[in-house]
């Protein structure tokens, strides 16, 4: 749809939300009180599965899963462009609850299971296997999601997606650092690239790092996602 230079934020038009890669990126919401909802972004990575950040599903401060006002059966829902699915189950990185401040971002990944095959309908993103520093740094990386506060002040919704192109600034053992500047609500968003019309996730956005924003390197946790989706 739109073109951009690194650092420039732009909105995805309603017409483009029904096309790839945008229709493979979902808004995850949990109504945590009658007047407050928690919003994150995720990516469809399987027929019923969404990859996103662990802090979107599990609160380390309370050592508890985040549930909605409906109780322990209320795990929220995902929506894109007005089409929604209910979250029936969640898994998180095994190292997330006890991660230290220095390892927090590398363990900030999780998986949602949906009640419908939204991934079959909309298509899925691949989990990148690329580990080479120069290859990763050379990608035209993109990050799209659903900010809680939009750049133009419009109302947040599953039809109000914003994105940007990023430069990968550092390739670390377990993380990537990049100069995209997402905002609240875009936690869990995929950092991805296009290869021949296919889209591959290289990182799952976690938050601020020492110098740049950062997320877990998907190539290092790809096997976890594949294993956890199998038979679930």
């Amino acid at each position: 749809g739109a073109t951009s230079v690194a650092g420039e934020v732009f909105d995805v038009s309603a017409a483009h939300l029904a096309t790839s890669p945008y229709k493979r990126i979902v808004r995850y919401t949990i109504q945590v009180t009658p007047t407050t909802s928690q919003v994150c972004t995720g990516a469809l990575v399987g027929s019923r599965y969404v990859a996103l950040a662990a802090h979107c599903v599990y609160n380390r401060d309370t050592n508890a899963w985040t549930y909605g006002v409906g109780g322990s059966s209320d795990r929220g829902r995902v929506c894109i462009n007005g089409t929604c699915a209910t979250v029936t189950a969640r898994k998180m990185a095994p190292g997330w609850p006890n991660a230290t401040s220095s390892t927090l971002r590398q363990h900030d990944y999780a998986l949602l299971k949906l009640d419908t095959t939204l991934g079959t309908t909309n298509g899925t993103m691949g989990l990148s296997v690329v580990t080479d520093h120069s290859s990763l740094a050379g990608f035209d990386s993109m990050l799209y999601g659903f900010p809680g506060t939009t750049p133009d002040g419009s109302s947040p919704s599953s039809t109000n997606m914003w994105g940007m192109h990023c430069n990968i600034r550092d390739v670390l053992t377990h993380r990537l650092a990049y100069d995209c500047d997402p905002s609240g609500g875009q936690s869990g968003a995929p950092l991805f690239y296009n290869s021949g019309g296919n889209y591959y996730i290289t990182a799952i956005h976690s938050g601020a790092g020492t110098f740049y924003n950062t997320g877990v390197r998907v190539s290092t946790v790809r096997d976890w996602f594949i294993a956890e989706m199998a038979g679930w």
Side-chain angles (χ1 to χ4, degrees), residues 13-15 21 23-24 36 47 54 79 86 89-90 92 95-97 99 138 142 157 163 192 198 214 216 221 231:
S13 69
K23 65 180 180 178
R24 303 177 185 185
T36 307
S47 60
C79 299
T86 298
R90 301 173 293 185
M92 64 173 163
W96 174 247
M142 296 165 275
S157 73
F192 65 95
N198 296 308
T214 188
V216 62
V221 297

Side-chain angles (χ1 to χ4, degrees), residues 15-105:
H16 284 108
L17 285 175
T19 66
S20 296
Y22 315 112
K23 65 180 180 178
R24 303 177 185 185
I25 301 168
V26 297
R27 185 176 190 253
Y28 176 48
T29 57
I30 302 180
Q31 194 73 30
V32 292
T33 75
T35 58
T36 307
S37 61
Q38 175 184 290
V39 178
C40 283
T41 298
L44 291 162
V45 292
S47 60
R48 295 178 181 270
Y49 308 109
V50 173
L52 78 174
H55 76 259
C56 298
V57 301
Y58 190 90
N59 188 328
R60 283 164 40 90
D61 293 333
T62 59
N63 288 319
W65 293 92
T66 301
Y67 292 110
V69 291
S72 60
S73 63
D74 185 354
R75 298 171 175 87
R77 65 180 189 161
V78 302
C79 299
I80 173 60
N81 200 23
T83 299
C84 299
T86 298
V87 176
T88 60
R90 301 173 293 185
K91 295 181 178 182
M92 64 173 163
W96 174 247
N98 298 313
T100 65
S101 58
S102 62
T103 64
L104 192 66
R105 300 306 187 190

